[in-house]
């Protein structure tokens, strides 16, 4: 996946090294979009193409030309005078006009009910900032028509770099994007606007892409699983698979540490211990006796109690009182790798420490507190937020949310596109913490454990939703599906 600046660099390389003109790329884009139309909606006869003022409009005029030549009933509604277009979009318009495509200005009272499908060619990947009023109106009319919509390159109104929608954006059923995937198509608001995403590289040679490395990639679950979840040796014992220590569970919040601990055990850690506030042990020992529960009245004792632990997970149910703060201050000094979540992130924001030996798993509000900005600012550019978090705190950062991001400063940002809204319920983050910690205990490096844990968590959620539905999904429901995935 690439930023728009990198896409432009690829276009420049195509022009300089391969002598591929902008017009050729535009014609290929239009052809690709029409082929998608023919493949997925071959019976569609009445097509409306809504065109803006840039090269995205040119792509739309090419699609219109192809549809007209194929005998479709097609009309182009334009927001800006086509004769004011710059090349090569102007040439694309003139060809469409010569072919006999009907051209009409887009009006506020436009009725799109008679068309089978709408082609969104309003705004391309270069869009930033605030929508002009006529474009905002057009986008709202398109969405209100409740017709099948194909967006060219990106749904109009969506930021290609961030996935953020400032005001409004087209809600497409399909988006065909060109040259390369844009990183903003897979996180934040984009997940509610892109529909099914397909890519056409416009016949650019592979060696061009080698010269410009991607800024982000989709997590390769199968590759991670094949490398780190191989069948176990028959001659094994629990010590081979690590010891996870989970610290948290202040009074009234032991459910969180129970979920994190059980997730650690279910993902395959050899041993899991839970260190919780006094008088709360029965909640762990009764519900999950395989987890070794320890009462902890004096957090300073953790220094000696944890000497055999492989990895430390702190935060689930930790609380923000003196006991939790003392636990955090003690744990943070220990040498073992750590997974830090929930209330432990609250204490971290007050200390601003840095380490290469931890995984931080903030949701957007926690990320905002760590960065001393607002949640809205985090969501407006999740890529910038995760890069700043990694720069400031080090280690591996997991920025949770729709299209979770993982970044360690060394690899391209990883994006998880699995998961569903049913996972927006209490305890899901605690389960994720346990999964990542359990994988680290089994000798999976921190960054890879974060990527694998995030994807396991999301895929388990999708399997669960397929059986139970999204509403009413509980965090511990995921664990039986985790077992299926890792085995």
């Amino acid at each position: 996946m690439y930023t728009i600046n990198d896409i432009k660099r690829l276009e420049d390389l195509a022009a300089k090294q391969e002598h591929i003109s902008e017009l050729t790329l535009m014609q290929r884009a239009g052809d690709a979009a029409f082929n998608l139309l023919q493949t997925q909606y071959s019976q569609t006869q009445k097509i409306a193409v809504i065109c803006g003022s840039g090269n995205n409009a040119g792509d739309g005029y090419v699609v219109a030309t192809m549809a007209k030549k194929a005998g479709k009933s097609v009309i182009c509604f334009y927001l800006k005078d086509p004769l004011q277009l710059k090349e090569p979009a102007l040439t694309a318009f003139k060809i469409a006009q010569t072919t006999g495509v009907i051209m009409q200005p887009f009006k506020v009272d436009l009725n799109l009910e008679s068309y089978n499908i709408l082609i969104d060619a309003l705004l391309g990947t270069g869009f930033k900032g605030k929508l002009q009023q006529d474009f905002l109106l057009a986008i709202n009319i398109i969405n209100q028509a409740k017709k099948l919509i194909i967006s060219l390159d990106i749904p109009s109104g969506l930021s290609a770099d961030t996935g953020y929608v400032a005001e409004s954006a087209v809600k497409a059923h399909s988006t065909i994007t060109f040259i390369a995937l844009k990183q903003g198509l897979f996180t934040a608001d984009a997940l509610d606007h892109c529909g099914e995403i397909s890519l056409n590289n416009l016949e650019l040679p592979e060696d061009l892409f080698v010269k410009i490395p991607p800024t982000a990639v989709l997590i390769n679950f199968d590759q991670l699983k094949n490398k780190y979840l191989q069948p176990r040796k028959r001659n094994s014992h629990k010590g081979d698979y690590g010891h996870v220590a989970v610290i948290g569970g202040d009074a009234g919040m032991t459910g969180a540490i129970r979920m994190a601990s059980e997730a650690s055990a279910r993902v395959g850690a050899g041993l899991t211990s839970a260190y919780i506030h006094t008088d709360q042990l029965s909640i762990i020992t009764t519900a999950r006796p395989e987890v070794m529960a320890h009462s902890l009245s004096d957090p300073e004792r953790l220094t000696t109690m944890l000497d055999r632990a492989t990895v430390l997970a702190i935060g689930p149910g930790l609380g923000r009182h003196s006991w939790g703060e003392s636990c955090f201050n003690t744990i943070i000094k220990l040498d073992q790798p750590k997974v830090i979540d929930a209330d432990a992130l609250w204490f971290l924001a007050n200390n601003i420490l840095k380490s290469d030996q931890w995984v931080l798993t903030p949701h957007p509000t926690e990320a905002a507190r760590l960065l001393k900005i607002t949640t809205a600012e985090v969501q407006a550019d999740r890529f910038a937020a995760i890069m700043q978090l990694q720069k400031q705190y080090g280690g591996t950062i997991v920025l949770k949310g729709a299209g979770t991001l993982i970044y360690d400063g060394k690899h391209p940002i990883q994006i998880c596109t699995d998961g569903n809204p049913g996972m927006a319920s209490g305890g899901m983050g605690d389960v994720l913490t346990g999964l990542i910690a359990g994988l680290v205990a089994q000798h999976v490096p921190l960054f890879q454990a974060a990527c694998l844990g995030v994807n396991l968590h999301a895929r388990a959620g999708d399997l669960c939703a397929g059986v139970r539905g999204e509403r009413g999904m509980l965090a511990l429901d995921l664990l039986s599906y985790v077992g299926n995935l890792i085995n």
Side-chain angles (χ1 to χ4, degrees), residues 34 37-39 41-48 63-75 100-102 116-117:
F34 180 71
L37 180 68
Q38 286 288 75
T39 301
Y41 310 105
S42 59
Q43 301 305 311
T44 298
Q45 291 301 317
K46 297 192 71 177
I47 302 167
V63 175
T65 299
M66 299 293 295
K68 180 66 176 178
K69 289 181 176 179
K72 307 284 187 182
S73 173
V74 59
I75 185 170
V101 175
I102 299 171
N116 305 125
I117 196 162

PDB file of all heavy atoms in Angstrom, residues 34 37-39 41-48 63-75 100-102 116-117:
ATOM      1  N   PHE A  34     -14.692  -0.474 -16.579  1.00  0.00           N
ATOM      2  CA  PHE A  34     -15.788  -1.014 -17.388  1.00  0.00           C
ATOM      3  C   PHE A  34     -15.778  -2.544 -17.370  1.00  0.00           C
ATOM      4  O   PHE A  34     -16.838  -3.178 -17.314  1.00  0.00           O
ATOM      5  CB  PHE A  34     -15.701  -0.511 -18.820  1.00  0.00           C
ATOM      6  CG  PHE A  34     -16.817  -1.045 -19.688  1.00  0.00           C
ATOM      7  CD1 PHE A  34     -18.124  -0.596 -19.504  1.00  0.00           C
ATOM      8  CD2 PHE A  34     -16.571  -2.006 -20.651  1.00  0.00           C
ATOM      9  CE1 PHE A  34     -19.162  -1.101 -20.272  1.00  0.00           C
ATOM     10  CE2 PHE A  34     -17.599  -2.514 -21.419  1.00  0.00           C
ATOM     11  CZ  PHE A  34     -18.902  -2.058 -21.234  1.00  0.00           C
ATOM     12  N   LEU A  37     -17.429  -3.594 -14.335  1.00  0.00           N
ATOM     13  CA  LEU A  37     -18.872  -3.412 -14.512  1.00  0.00           C
ATOM     14  C   LEU A  37     -19.477  -4.574 -15.285  1.00  0.00           C
ATOM     15  O   LEU A  37     -20.520  -5.131 -14.906  1.00  0.00           O
ATOM     16  CB  LEU A  37     -19.121  -2.091 -15.235  1.00  0.00           C
ATOM     17  CG  LEU A  37     -20.567  -1.705 -15.529  1.00  0.00           C
ATOM     18  CD1 LEU A  37     -21.313  -1.402 -14.241  1.00  0.00           C
ATOM     19  CD2 LEU A  37     -20.611  -0.494 -16.449  1.00  0.00           C
ATOM     20  N   GLN A  38     -18.809  -4.970 -16.353  1.00  0.00           N
ATOM     21  CA  GLN A  38     -19.304  -6.061 -17.182  1.00  0.00           C
ATOM     22  C   GLN A  38     -19.250  -7.398 -16.448  1.00  0.00           C
ATOM     23  O   GLN A  38     -20.120  -8.249 -16.608  1.00  0.00           O
ATOM     24  CB  GLN A  38     -18.480  -6.148 -18.475  1.00  0.00           C
ATOM     25  CG  GLN A  38     -18.787  -5.058 -19.479  1.00  0.00           C
ATOM     26  CD  GLN A  38     -20.139  -5.240 -20.130  1.00  0.00           C
ATOM     27  OE1 GLN A  38     -21.180  -4.991 -19.510  1.00  0.00           O
ATOM     28  NE2 GLN A  38     -20.153  -5.678 -21.389  1.00  0.00           N
ATOM     29  N   THR A  39     -18.216  -7.578 -15.644  1.00  0.00           N
ATOM     30  CA  THR A  39     -18.050  -8.846 -14.937  1.00  0.00           C
ATOM     31  C   THR A  39     -19.071  -8.998 -13.817  1.00  0.00           C
ATOM     32  O   THR A  39     -19.695 -10.058 -13.653  1.00  0.00           O
ATOM     33  CB  THR A  39     -16.630  -8.950 -14.355  1.00  0.00           C
ATOM     34  OG1 THR A  39     -15.683  -8.860 -15.416  1.00  0.00           O
ATOM     35  CG2 THR A  39     -16.434 -10.270 -13.623  1.00  0.00           C
ATOM     36  N   TYR A  41     -21.758  -6.798 -13.078  1.00  0.00           N
ATOM     37  CA  TYR A  41     -23.114  -6.287 -13.316  1.00  0.00           C
ATOM     38  C   TYR A  41     -23.420  -6.330 -14.808  1.00  0.00           C
ATOM     39  O   TYR A  41     -23.803  -5.324 -15.416  1.00  0.00           O
ATOM     40  CB  TYR A  41     -23.241  -4.860 -12.785  1.00  0.00           C
ATOM     41  CG  TYR A  41     -22.746  -4.690 -11.368  1.00  0.00           C
ATOM     42  CD1 TYR A  41     -21.520  -4.056 -11.113  1.00  0.00           C
ATOM     43  CD2 TYR A  41     -23.465  -5.163 -10.286  1.00  0.00           C
ATOM     44  CE1 TYR A  41     -21.047  -3.895  -9.819  1.00  0.00           C
ATOM     45  CE2 TYR A  41     -23.003  -5.012  -8.975  1.00  0.00           C
ATOM     46  CZ  TYR A  41     -21.791  -4.376  -8.755  1.00  0.00           C
ATOM     47  OH  TYR A  41     -21.332  -4.233  -7.471  1.00  0.00           O
ATOM     48  N   SER A  42     -23.278  -7.482 -15.404  1.00  0.00           N
ATOM     49  CA  SER A  42     -23.379  -7.600 -16.862  1.00  0.00           C
ATOM     50  C   SER A  42     -24.780  -7.272 -17.387  1.00  0.00           C
ATOM     51  O   SER A  42     -24.934  -6.884 -18.546  1.00  0.00           O
ATOM     52  CB  SER A  42     -22.984  -9.017 -17.298  1.00  0.00           C
ATOM     53  OG  SER A  42     -23.829  -9.982 -16.675  1.00  0.00           O
ATOM     54  N   GLN A  43     -25.798  -7.437 -16.544  1.00  0.00           N
ATOM     55  CA  GLN A  43     -27.166  -7.171 -16.996  1.00  0.00           C
ATOM     56  C   GLN A  43     -27.550  -5.697 -16.896  1.00  0.00           C
ATOM     57  O   GLN A  43     -28.635  -5.299 -17.322  1.00  0.00           O
ATOM     58  CB  GLN A  43     -28.146  -8.008 -16.155  1.00  0.00           C
ATOM     59  CG  GLN A  43     -27.908  -9.505 -16.240  1.00  0.00           C
ATOM     60  CD  GLN A  43     -27.917 -10.021 -17.667  1.00  0.00           C
ATOM     61  OE1 GLN A  43     -28.824  -9.718 -18.446  1.00  0.00           O
ATOM     62  NE2 GLN A  43     -26.901 -10.792 -18.028  1.00  0.00           N
ATOM     63  N   THR A  44     -26.658  -4.894 -16.303  1.00  0.00           N
ATOM     64  CA  THR A  44     -26.954  -3.477 -16.128  1.00  0.00           C
ATOM     65  C   THR A  44     -27.016  -2.769 -17.476  1.00  0.00           C
ATOM     66  O   THR A  44     -26.104  -2.871 -18.287  1.00  0.00           O
ATOM     67  CB  THR A  44     -25.870  -2.806 -15.259  1.00  0.00           C
ATOM     68  OG1 THR A  44     -25.881  -3.426 -13.976  1.00  0.00           O
ATOM     69  CG2 THR A  44     -26.142  -1.331 -15.099  1.00  0.00           C
ATOM     70  N   GLN A  45     -28.106  -2.032 -17.701  1.00  0.00           N
ATOM     71  CA  GLN A  45     -28.276  -1.342 -18.976  1.00  0.00           C
ATOM     72  C   GLN A  45     -28.265   0.178 -18.855  1.00  0.00           C
ATOM     73  O   GLN A  45     -27.810   0.873 -19.747  1.00  0.00           O
ATOM     74  CB  GLN A  45     -29.591  -1.785 -19.627  1.00  0.00           C
ATOM     75  CG  GLN A  45     -29.579  -3.228 -20.098  1.00  0.00           C
ATOM     76  CD  GLN A  45     -28.485  -3.507 -21.127  1.00  0.00           C
ATOM     77  OE1 GLN A  45     -28.259  -2.712 -22.044  1.00  0.00           O
ATOM     78  NE2 GLN A  45     -27.801  -4.626 -20.963  1.00  0.00           N
ATOM     79  N   LYS A  46     -28.750   0.698 -17.743  1.00  0.00           N
ATOM     80  CA  LYS A  46     -28.849   2.156 -17.598  1.00  0.00           C
ATOM     81  C   LYS A  46     -27.824   2.629 -16.569  1.00  0.00           C
ATOM     82  O   LYS A  46     -27.910   2.304 -15.389  1.00  0.00           O
ATOM     83  CB  LYS A  46     -30.263   2.556 -17.175  1.00  0.00           C
ATOM     84  CG  LYS A  46     -31.322   2.193 -18.203  1.00  0.00           C
ATOM     85  CD  LYS A  46     -32.646   2.866 -17.894  1.00  0.00           C
ATOM     86  CE  LYS A  46     -32.551   4.359 -18.150  1.00  0.00           C
ATOM     87  NZ  LYS A  46     -33.857   5.039 -17.928  1.00  0.00           N
ATOM     88  N   ILE A  47     -26.851   3.406 -17.046  1.00  0.00           N
ATOM     89  CA  ILE A  47     -25.711   3.798 -16.225  1.00  0.00           C
ATOM     90  C   ILE A  47     -25.611   5.313 -16.184  1.00  0.00           C
ATOM     91  O   ILE A  47     -25.695   5.987 -17.227  1.00  0.00           O
ATOM     92  CB  ILE A  47     -24.402   3.217 -16.799  1.00  0.00           C
ATOM     93  CG1 ILE A  47     -24.485   1.690 -16.883  1.00  0.00           C
ATOM     94  CG2 ILE A  47     -23.201   3.657 -15.969  1.00  0.00           C
ATOM     95  CD1 ILE A  47     -23.395   1.067 -17.721  1.00  0.00           C
ATOM     96  N   ALA A  48     -25.425   5.845 -14.988  1.00  0.00           N
ATOM     97  CA  ALA A  48     -25.163   7.279 -14.824  1.00  0.00           C
ATOM     98  C   ALA A  48     -23.759   7.450 -14.273  1.00  0.00           C
ATOM     99  O   ALA A  48     -23.392   6.829 -13.270  1.00  0.00           O
ATOM    100  CB  ALA A  48     -26.179   7.916 -13.884  1.00  0.00           C
ATOM    101  N   VAL A  63     -15.019   5.415 -18.967  1.00  0.00           N
ATOM    102  CA  VAL A  63     -16.005   4.371 -18.672  1.00  0.00           C
ATOM    103  C   VAL A  63     -17.276   4.605 -19.483  1.00  0.00           C
ATOM    104  O   VAL A  63     -17.848   3.667 -20.055  1.00  0.00           O
ATOM    105  CB  VAL A  63     -16.342   4.347 -17.162  1.00  0.00           C
ATOM    106  CG1 VAL A  63     -17.466   3.344 -16.886  1.00  0.00           C
ATOM    107  CG2 VAL A  63     -15.119   3.984 -16.342  1.00  0.00           C
ATOM    108  N   ALA A  64     -17.719   5.851 -19.540  1.00  0.00           N
ATOM    109  CA  ALA A  64     -18.923   6.174 -20.303  1.00  0.00           C
ATOM    110  C   ALA A  64     -18.762   5.824 -21.772  1.00  0.00           C
ATOM    111  O   ALA A  64     -19.685   5.293 -22.411  1.00  0.00           O
ATOM    112  CB  ALA A  64     -19.252   7.655 -20.136  1.00  0.00           C
ATOM    113  N   THR A  65     -17.595   6.122 -22.320  1.00  0.00           N
ATOM    114  CA  THR A  65     -17.319   5.789 -23.723  1.00  0.00           C
ATOM    115  C   THR A  65     -17.409   4.294 -23.955  1.00  0.00           C
ATOM    116  O   THR A  65     -18.039   3.826 -24.922  1.00  0.00           O
ATOM    117  CB  THR A  65     -15.918   6.296 -24.122  1.00  0.00           C
ATOM    118  OG1 THR A  65     -15.870   7.720 -23.983  1.00  0.00           O
ATOM    119  CG2 THR A  65     -15.592   5.922 -25.560  1.00  0.00           C
ATOM    120  N   MET A  66     -16.778   3.515 -23.074  1.00  0.00           N
ATOM    121  CA  MET A  66     -16.801   2.059 -23.209  1.00  0.00           C
ATOM    122  C   MET A  66     -18.228   1.519 -23.102  1.00  0.00           C
ATOM    123  O   MET A  66     -18.626   0.630 -23.862  1.00  0.00           O
ATOM    124  CB  MET A  66     -15.923   1.436 -22.130  1.00  0.00           C
ATOM    125  CG  MET A  66     -14.456   1.844 -22.180  1.00  0.00           C
ATOM    126  SD  MET A  66     -13.615   1.217 -23.646  1.00  0.00           S
ATOM    127  CE  MET A  66     -13.689  -0.534 -23.343  1.00  0.00           C
ATOM    128  N   ALA A  67     -19.002   2.065 -22.167  1.00  0.00           N
ATOM    129  CA  ALA A  67     -20.376   1.597 -21.981  1.00  0.00           C
ATOM    130  C   ALA A  67     -21.233   1.909 -23.211  1.00  0.00           C
ATOM    131  O   ALA A  67     -22.048   1.088 -23.643  1.00  0.00           O
ATOM    132  CB  ALA A  67     -20.974   2.243 -20.734  1.00  0.00           C
ATOM    133  N   LYS A  68     -21.038   3.100 -23.764  1.00  0.00           N
ATOM    134  CA  LYS A  68     -21.788   3.474 -24.965  1.00  0.00           C
ATOM    135  C   LYS A  68     -21.455   2.550 -26.123  1.00  0.00           C
ATOM    136  O   LYS A  68     -22.356   2.078 -26.851  1.00  0.00           O
ATOM    137  CB  LYS A  68     -21.471   4.932 -25.331  1.00  0.00           C
ATOM    138  CG  LYS A  68     -22.196   5.447 -26.562  1.00  0.00           C
ATOM    139  CD  LYS A  68     -23.696   5.528 -26.307  1.00  0.00           C
ATOM    140  CE  LYS A  68     -24.414   6.147 -27.500  1.00  0.00           C
ATOM    141  NZ  LYS A  68     -25.881   6.185 -27.286  1.00  0.00           N
ATOM    142  N   LYS A  69     -20.183   2.249 -26.304  1.00  0.00           N
ATOM    143  CA  LYS A  69     -19.762   1.365 -27.394  1.00  0.00           C
ATOM    144  C   LYS A  69     -20.309  -0.051 -27.207  1.00  0.00           C
ATOM    145  O   LYS A  69     -20.500  -0.782 -28.182  1.00  0.00           O
ATOM    146  CB  LYS A  69     -18.239   1.315 -27.482  1.00  0.00           C
ATOM    147  CG  LYS A  69     -17.617   2.601 -28.011  1.00  0.00           C
ATOM    148  CD  LYS A  69     -16.101   2.487 -28.092  1.00  0.00           C
ATOM    149  CE  LYS A  69     -15.486   3.741 -28.705  1.00  0.00           C
ATOM    150  NZ  LYS A  69     -14.002   3.647 -28.761  1.00  0.00           N
ATOM    151  N   ALA A  70     -20.550  -0.430 -25.931  1.00  0.00           N
ATOM    152  CA  ALA A  70     -21.090  -1.764 -25.645  1.00  0.00           C
ATOM    153  C   ALA A  70     -22.619  -1.805 -25.744  1.00  0.00           C
ATOM    154  O   ALA A  70     -23.236  -2.842 -25.475  1.00  0.00           O
ATOM    155  CB  ALA A  70     -20.649  -2.213 -24.257  1.00  0.00           C
ATOM    156  N   GLY A  71     -23.216  -0.682 -26.128  1.00  0.00           N
ATOM    157  CA  GLY A  71     -24.662  -0.660 -26.315  1.00  0.00           C
ATOM    158  C   GLY A  71     -25.455  -0.338 -25.068  1.00  0.00           C
ATOM    159  O   GLY A  71     -26.685  -0.504 -25.043  1.00  0.00           O
ATOM    160  N   LYS A  72     -24.801   0.150 -24.035  1.00  0.00           N
ATOM    161  CA  LYS A  72     -25.502   0.518 -22.815  1.00  0.00           C
ATOM    162  C   LYS A  72     -26.139   1.902 -22.959  1.00  0.00           C
ATOM    163  O   LYS A  72     -25.700   2.731 -23.758  1.00  0.00           O
ATOM    164  CB  LYS A  72     -24.525   0.552 -21.637  1.00  0.00           C
ATOM    165  CG  LYS A  72     -23.697  -0.712 -21.428  1.00  0.00           C
ATOM    166  CD  LYS A  72     -24.506  -1.818 -20.795  1.00  0.00           C
ATOM    167  CE  LYS A  72     -23.612  -3.007 -20.440  1.00  0.00           C
ATOM    168  NZ  LYS A  72     -24.394  -4.124 -19.864  1.00  0.00           N
ATOM    169  N   SER A  73     -27.150   2.143 -22.174  1.00  0.00           N
ATOM    170  CA  SER A  73     -27.727   3.480 -22.072  1.00  0.00           C
ATOM    171  C   SER A  73     -26.946   4.218 -20.991  1.00  0.00           C
ATOM    172  O   SER A  73     -27.009   3.858 -19.813  1.00  0.00           O
ATOM    173  CB  SER A  73     -29.208   3.393 -21.688  1.00  0.00           C
ATOM    174  OG  SER A  73     -29.731   4.676 -21.439  1.00  0.00           O
ATOM    175  N   VAL A  74     -26.207   5.237 -21.389  1.00  0.00           N
ATOM    176  CA  VAL A  74     -25.292   5.888 -20.450  1.00  0.00           C
ATOM    177  C   VAL A  74     -25.397   7.398 -20.571  1.00  0.00           C
ATOM    178  O   VAL A  74     -25.567   7.947 -21.663  1.00  0.00           O
ATOM    179  CB  VAL A  74     -23.840   5.417 -20.684  1.00  0.00           C
ATOM    180  CG1 VAL A  74     -23.374   5.710 -22.105  1.00  0.00           C
ATOM    181  CG2 VAL A  74     -22.890   6.021 -19.673  1.00  0.00           C
ATOM    182  N   ILE A  75     -25.309   8.053 -19.429  1.00  0.00           N
ATOM    183  CA  ILE A  75     -25.338   9.506 -19.383  1.00  0.00           C
ATOM    184  C   ILE A  75     -24.297   9.984 -18.378  1.00  0.00           C
ATOM    185  O   ILE A  75     -24.058   9.342 -17.357  1.00  0.00           O
ATOM    186  CB  ILE A  75     -26.741  10.029 -18.990  1.00  0.00           C
ATOM    187  CG1 ILE A  75     -26.796  11.557 -19.070  1.00  0.00           C
ATOM    188  CG2 ILE A  75     -27.162   9.509 -17.616  1.00  0.00           C
ATOM    189  CD1 ILE A  75     -28.214  12.110 -18.931  1.00  0.00           C
ATOM    190  N   GLY A 100     -21.073   9.795 -28.593  1.00  0.00           N
ATOM    191  CA  GLY A 100     -22.518   9.927 -28.455  1.00  0.00           C
ATOM    192  C   GLY A 100     -23.034   9.829 -27.036  1.00  0.00           C
ATOM    193  O   GLY A 100     -24.255   9.707 -26.829  1.00  0.00           O
ATOM    194  N   VAL A 101     -22.132   9.894 -26.077  1.00  0.00           N
ATOM    195  CA  VAL A 101     -22.568   9.868 -24.683  1.00  0.00           C
ATOM    196  C   VAL A 101     -23.327  11.163 -24.377  1.00  0.00           C
ATOM    197  O   VAL A 101     -22.863  12.261 -24.704  1.00  0.00           O
ATOM    198  CB  VAL A 101     -21.365   9.726 -23.734  1.00  0.00           C
ATOM    199  CG1 VAL A 101     -21.817   9.824 -22.274  1.00  0.00           C
ATOM    200  CG2 VAL A 101     -20.644   8.402 -23.987  1.00  0.00           C
ATOM    201  N   ILE A 102     -24.479  11.041 -23.757  1.00  0.00           N
ATOM    202  CA  ILE A 102     -25.271  12.219 -23.380  1.00  0.00           C
ATOM    203  C   ILE A 102     -24.583  12.933 -22.224  1.00  0.00           C
ATOM    204  O   ILE A 102     -24.140  12.314 -21.253  1.00  0.00           O
ATOM    205  CB  ILE A 102     -26.697  11.810 -22.969  1.00  0.00           C
ATOM    206  CG1 ILE A 102     -27.401  11.121 -24.137  1.00  0.00           C
ATOM    207  CG2 ILE A 102     -27.500  13.015 -22.491  1.00  0.00           C
ATOM    208  CD1 ILE A 102     -28.718  10.488 -23.757  1.00  0.00           C
ATOM    209  N   ASN A 116     -29.747   2.057 -13.190  1.00  0.00           N
ATOM    210  CA  ASN A 116     -29.420   0.819 -12.466  1.00  0.00           C
ATOM    211  C   ASN A 116     -28.170   0.961 -11.610  1.00  0.00           C
ATOM    212  O   ASN A 116     -28.080   0.366 -10.537  1.00  0.00           O
ATOM    213  CB  ASN A 116     -29.210  -0.335 -13.457  1.00  0.00           C
ATOM    214  CG  ASN A 116     -30.381  -0.542 -14.394  1.00  0.00           C
ATOM    215  OD1 ASN A 116     -30.219  -0.545 -15.600  1.00  0.00           O
ATOM    216  ND2 ASN A 116     -31.571  -0.712 -13.822  1.00  0.00           N
ATOM    217  N   ILE A 117     -27.221   1.715 -12.114  1.00  0.00           N
ATOM    218  CA  ILE A 117     -25.935   1.799 -11.428  1.00  0.00           C
ATOM    219  C   ILE A 117     -25.343   3.196 -11.603  1.00  0.00           C
ATOM    220  O   ILE A 117     -25.520   3.833 -12.646  1.00  0.00           O
ATOM    221  CB  ILE A 117     -24.959   0.718 -11.959  1.00  0.00           C
ATOM    222  CG1 ILE A 117     -23.779   0.538 -11.013  1.00  0.00           C
ATOM    223  CG2 ILE A 117     -24.501   1.017 -13.370  1.00  0.00           C
ATOM    224  CD1 ILE A 117     -23.045  -0.769 -11.225  1.00  0.00           C
TER     225      ILE A 117
END
